[in-house]
Amino acid sequence: MTNQTAPIVVVGAGVAGLVCAIELHSAGRPVLVLDAESEVGGRVRSTTRDGLVFDHGFQVLFTAYPTLRSYLDLDALAPRKFLPAARIVQGGRVSLIGDAFSDPSLLIDTVMARAVPLGDKLRLLALRRFAQQLSVDECFTARFAGVSTREYLASRGFSATVIDGFFAPFYGGILLDRTLATSASVLLFTFKMLAEGDTVVPATGMGALTKQLAARLPPGMVRTGVGVQSLTVNDGRVNGVVLAGGDVMLAAQVIMATDAPAAARLAATAGVQIATPSGARGTTTLYFTTSGASPIPGRALWLNADASAVISHAVTVTDVAPEYAPRGVSLIAASAVGEAADRSDADLESAGRREFAAMARAAGDAAADAKATALTRVAVWRVPYAQFAQPPGWREHRPTIACGIPGLWRASEVLHSSSLEGAARGGQDAARAVLQSH
Ligand SMILES: Cc1cc2nc3c(=O)[nH]c(=O)nc-3n(C[C@H](O)[C@H](O)[C@H](O)COP(=O)(O)OP(=O)(O)OC[C@H]3O[C@@H](n4cnc5c(N)ncnc54)[C@H](O)[C@@H]3O)c2cc1C
């Protein structure tokens, strides 16, 4: 086989690789997607054990993501909605802050919430309106991309109380970064997405999302359990891949849809250095079950705003999607971010129980301690590389789709933002660039 008749090889079957392959396949190009793992999905996978659904790290889908949504049959995923709200626990008190435009029943609690002073509530409304007026691309212009979320919020007049007591834990949950060092572009983008759609999980787990994308490709087009170890170069052009077992496979083009560090390692095997965002945001998710009542009930995320918090955010997933556990069982997901994510399983478990009890006590639950004690830890999911760091200015050094050597391309979240939407957009843009060039 010459490399003219060989398929376009997409390395990586996460959101970016699958979207890229869908585009290329629908344009009539022969495509082969290879992934080192035993199943598709990359960072968006779920495992079912004893009737319990464990997402590989707690994660949600914003239905307003424009690019990703265009590839999904959302109804077929049976999306289960979170309340557009968060319960903020701080100093032994809990306040419910919600988006009353999305769910008017949240108005009274939100207006009454003591965690956010009135002036800041008005500023939150103004920020919501402002983010909605921007297009997705405008969110990422230099004006916002060059400042940190913390600086931007201060420039809009938000008080330190709300910055540390609301935004820090809230964005700890979304960006896995409680320091608010992430670029303000990401704040505006996520605020826009939160305002314009629902926050959901598919009834059978987040992994259903990537399985649905893969099902849009013909059988055999995606091969799992096939790692790519290096690239082959002939006459100054990437013309194939070497598989983990040593077999060589010719390729008309190679598109790297792996995470950023893996793409940099692969490109280096072709003698090419590609720009890679430095810094990783990791998270550890603990799953607990109980056959009694959950200490942190409801469809809103619980945010632990105390500075000493080990568990950053938690939710009773089965209150959102009962399908995540057998009838009568509640499943709780609790996430640690930053340095806390590196603590031992036992440490995280005991901190989880202690902090759940404190959250329930703050909500006035007389049985708080008994409920926290009755929990069983059923899984711990460690994801050291959940997102890449997106500090101010990172987009100025973004890599490009073409990798500086003929035949090698990049389909990745690094082209847009570290998110499901960023990955879908990266996959779509790469496919279009390859199609345009050939
Ligand atoms: C716990 C967690 C929470 C998150 N929360 C959110 C959230 O709430 N909202 C949001 O929008 N985003 C969230 N994200 C981020 C989002 O999941 C990612 O941005 C997105 O999934 C990245 O997709 P990708 O296709 O670019 O990369 P990946 O999903 O990493 O896919 C890359 C694939 O490449 C494969 N691969 C790597 N090297 C090789 C090789 N040499 N050979 C063959 N295959 C290879 C890997 O096995 C993998 O399947 C979260 C991520 C995690 C893990």
Side-chain angles (χ1 to χ4, degrees):
M1 192 160 44
T2 68
N3 71 335
Q4 270 73 41
T5 55
I8 298 174
V9 170
V10 177
V11 186
V15 171
L18 292 170
V19 164
C20 184
I22 290 168
E23 282 290 319
L24 293 168
H25 172 63
S26 55
R29 299 303 174 94
V31 185
L32 188 59
V33 185
L34 305 176
D35 199 293
E37 294 289 336
S38 58
E39 56 175 358
V40 300
R43 275 169 267 173
V44 190
R45 285 186 282 161
S46 309
T47 292
T48 302
R49 206 167 58 213
D50 302 329
L52 298 166
V53 177
F54 301 110
D55 290 334
H56 291 198
F58 172 71
Q59 171 160 201
V60 296
L61 166 66
F62 296 151
T63 61
Y65 278 156
T67 314
L68 180 60
R69 173 129 196 207
S70 68
Y71 292 93
L72 292 176
D73 177 352
L74 208 52
D75 289 342
L77 292 175
R80 304 290 182 242
K81 284 188 208 174
F82 285 76
L83 207 61
R87 278 181 212 283
I88 305 173
V89 185
Q90 190 171 33
R93 285 212 308 254
V94 55
S95 314
L96 184 72
I97 304 284
D99 183 345
F101 287 101
S102 301
D103 186 336
S105 70
L106 295 167
L107 184 64
I108 304 289
D109 277 321
T110 302
V111 169
M112 301 301 287
R114 300 220 305 246
V116 178
L118 179 62
D120 284 324
K121 284 181 187 136
L122 297 174
R123 280 183 276 275
L124 270 169
L125 285 179
L127 180 63
R128 180 189 196 276
R129 205 168 41 240
F130 180 69
Q132 268 195 288
Q133 282 162 2
L134 297 173
S135 68
V136 169
D137 285 342
E138 281 166 344
C139 292
F140 287 96
T141 50
R143 181 175 160 207
F144 309 118
V147 287
S148 73
T149 292
R150 185 174 287 279
E151 287 163 337
Y152 182 69
L153 291 170
S155 76
R156 287 192 73 104
F158 282 102
S159 69
T161 310
V162 78
I163 292 178
D164 289 317
F166 170 70
F167 284 103
F170 190 61
Y171 276 88
I174 293 180
L175 300 173
L176 313 175
D177 166 32
R178 285 173 77 111
T179 69
L180 301 178
T182 300
S183 140
S185 290
V186 185
L187 166 89
L188 291 167
F189 170 54
T190 49
F191 234 70
K192 179 177 171 65
M193 295 298 105
L194 284 165
E196 293 181 352
D198 296 319
T199 302
V200 304
V201 287
T204 55
M206 284 296 286
L209 187 159
T210 40
K211 284 201 170 119
Q212 190 188 80
L213 292 176
R216 293 189 53 180
L217 296 166
M221 191 171 273
V222 182
R223 287 198 212 155
T224 52
V226 182
V228 171
Q229 133 188 326
S230 59
L231 304 171
T232 58
V233 180
N234 183 30
D235 230 358
R237 173 184 181 86
V238 170
N239 72 336
V241 294
V242 181
L243 306 183
D247 287 349
V248 176
M249 187 180 275
L250 286 175
Q253 314 283 335
V254 176
I255 304 178
M256 298 184 294
T258 67
D259 56 87
R265 284 194 297 273
L266 264 187
T269 66
V272 179
Q273 265 204 321
I274 52 172
T276 306
S278 57
R281 300 266 177 246
T283 179
T284 298
T285 303
L286 279 87
Y287 288 100
F288 294 89
T289 53
T290 179
S291 47
S294 166
I296 53 158
R299 290 190 300 120
L301 204 58
W302 289 69
L303 302 178
N304 205 349
D306 283 327
S308 60
V310 173
I311 299 303
S312 158
H313 51 282
V315 69
T316 302
V317 194
T318 39
D319 283 353
V320 180
E323 297 86 349
Y324 270 57
R327 213 182 164 79
V329 176
S330 294
L331 179 69
I332 296 174
S335 301
V337 302
E339 285 174 8
D342 297 331
R343 293 187 177 210
S344 70
D345 292 4
D347 235 26
L348 287 170
E349 175 179 342
S350 63
R353 286 179 196 283
R354 194 174 58 241
E355 293 181 6
F356 288 147
M359 290 185 213
R361 271 198 303 277
D365 187 340
D369 292 298
K371 286 179 183 173
T373 309
L375 297 174
T376 306
R377 188 188 94 199
V378 284
V380 178
W381 236 279
R382 293 184 181 271
V383 188
Y385 192 95
Q387 289 172 300
F388 58 84
Q390 301 165 93
W394 81 266
R395 281 173 64 90
E396 287 164 31
H397 310 289
R398 262 184 310 161
T400 49
I401 297 174
C403 291
I405 179 170
L408 186 64
W409 308 82
R410 192 86 185 273
S412 169
E413 56 174 0
V414 295
L415 304 165
H416 184 262
S417 61
S418 194
S419 65
L420 300 169
E421 171 66 10
R425 179 100 172 243
Q428 184 186 66
D429 287 350
R432 290 182 178 169
V434 170
L435 290 169
Q436 250 174 22
S437 75
H438 291 87

